[in-house]
Amino acid sequence: MVGGSAFAAGGPTRIIFLGSPGAGKGTQAGRLSAERKLVRISTGDMLRQAIAEGTPLGQQAAPIMDRGKLVPDDLLIAMIRERVSREDCQNGYILDGFPRTLPQAHGLENIAGREADDRFFVFNVEVPHAELMRRLSGRRWCPKCQSTYHVDSNPPAKAGVCDRCSTKLVQREDDKESVVAKRLQEYEERTKPLIQYYMHHARFHSIDGFRPADVVFRELVGYLEGQR
Ligand code: AMP
């Protein structure tokens, strides 16, 4: 079934994507968002947007992100609180990149209620380390519309140029090798404990993300359908 009505009926659907940088969370969240008509909320995209606009949040976040560290929890929780209160989130939403720490998970509970809700799904996308490195080092990004590509596995039609808005693609500062190591360390130390946390608290499903995006997506949708 395509279109999301089954999920929209009876209350908001909330979906969280856990997984290391480079696991494919953004790709899967984007596809699910289009198919299920649910808003995708990417905290990384929101922060990069804030940086591009030069807002106070962006100014605070930029040096932290450039070092591959996590932005403070209180800023992220406030950002999500405001974002999910908007009209377009009333049928639910997909969180891509939040929560990333235990305090953020607690913050989400305060904002959106307890996990006993049977429309609260947590997907944990798992990918081996070498593949993460390959994906992150080959990733290219459009600074205007935030589309992402990969030089080998998902190249744009014209090399180095965004298919959607013709802007020149760049490598994100934090996808450079020295910063990637720090991001992966942050993931191991601060985000991975969320797997234990959600394993016992929600409709939790781990997915092998080391497969073609279509295959992963079908599994995801199959899981959601099976849980209706
Ligand atoms: P992403 O695009 O999801 O890989 O995020 C890029 C960067 O934004 C991360 O390395 C962090 O510096 C920051 N960031 C994104 N989401 C969060 C979050 N939930 N908590 C703290 N920092 C975040």
Side-chain angles (χ1 to χ4, degrees), residues 142 145 147 149 156 158 160-169:
C142 173
C145 75
S147 298
Y149 301 85
K158 185 174 167 208
V161 178
C162 180
D163 290 343
R164 285 173 62 191
C165 67
S166 302
T167 302
K168 188 171 179 293
L169 301 177

Side-chain angles (χ1 to χ4, degrees), residues 18 70 99-101 186-195:
L18 300 178
L70 292 181
R100 253 170 154 117
T101 65
E186 287 280 80
Y187 169 74
E188 287 292 325
E189 290 174 4
R190 300 183 65 192
T191 308
K192 219 170 172 184
L194 290 181
I195 296 175

